[in-house]
Amino acid sequence: MSVVSVSMPEELLERIDQFADDHGYTGRSEVVREASRNLLGEFEDRKLEGRELMGVITVVFDYETTTVEEKMMHLRHEHEDLVASNFHSHVGGHHCMELFILEGSLEDISTFVGKIRATKDTLTVDYSVLPVDDFGPLADID
């Protein structure tokens, strides 16, 4: 197995170590390997390929970090054909939340989420993806 060096904030490393201890992992490498496999597999769901999808992405960042808000605005305009709606709100005492509603293909939504995740100084990025071309039994009703 190859050995890889990764830079990360000390706080994140401490959280990984605590997570490993709390959940019975043998160490941080095992946690990072599993997280990597999960991240790489997120958008490989064959049931979603070729379907019309909706994505809901929530981003939280410190309100003093204006570069994140600028990047969010840039992404919104760069992907205006994908972004159906966008909402900005202040949460807590020092944070902003950016909410994106996307409509598009798995590949396009995946690319958008990847660009948000790559944005420096975001605190959290959470999302869900679901098909809008079939909502189960109600989709069959005329």
Side-chain angles (χ1 to χ4, degrees):
M1 191 175 309
S2 299
V3 176
V4 178
S5 176
V6 177
S7 299
M8 65 179 66
E10 186 65 33
E11 178 184 318
L12 181 57
L13 189 58
E14 290 170 4
R15 288 178 60 197
I16 290 171
D17 289 341
Q18 187 62 53
F19 184 88
D21 290 344
D22 292 348
H23 294 88
Y25 288 87
T26 58
R28 66 174 65 133
S29 291
E30 190 178 354
V31 173
V32 171
R33 278 192 300 273
E34 183 173 333
S36 297
R37 281 190 293 272
N38 288 340
L39 177 63
L40 293 172
E42 278 180 356
F43 289 101
E44 293 179 357
D45 187 343
R46 302 289 181 234
K47 293 179 276 184
L48 297 177
E49 287 181 359
R51 298 185 69 182
E52 234 180 283
L53 302 174
M54 176 177 73
V56 179
I57 295 91
T58 307
V59 185
V60 177
F61 55 95
D62 191 304
Y63 80 91
E64 292 180 358
T65 312
T66 58
T67 57
V68 176
E69 190 168 359
E70 289 170 7
K71 178 69 173 177
M72 296 300 109
M73 183 178 66
H74 175 74
L75 285 171
R76 182 175 63 239
H77 289 289
E78 179 183 343
H79 297 274
E80 62 184 23
D81 56 324
L82 181 66
V83 177
S85 185
N86 177 234
F87 176 76
H88 177 92
S89 180
H90 298 158
V91 291
H94 299 282
H95 297 96
C96 291
M97 181 206 61
E98 202 75 31
L99 177 71
F100 292 95
I101 308 296
L102 310 179
E103 291 181 18
S105 70
L106 184 62
E107 182 179 351
D108 291 342
I109 292 172
S110 167
T111 298
F112 190 87
V113 170
K115 288 180 179 182
I116 288 180
R117 281 187 166 155
T119 301
K120 185 180 177 200
D121 294 327
T122 56
L123 299 174
T124 64
V125 178
D126 191 30
Y127 68 93
S128 62
V129 177
L130 68 140
V132 294
D133 57 357
D134 179 12
F135 285 108
L138 294 179
D140 297 332
I141 297 174
D142 289 333

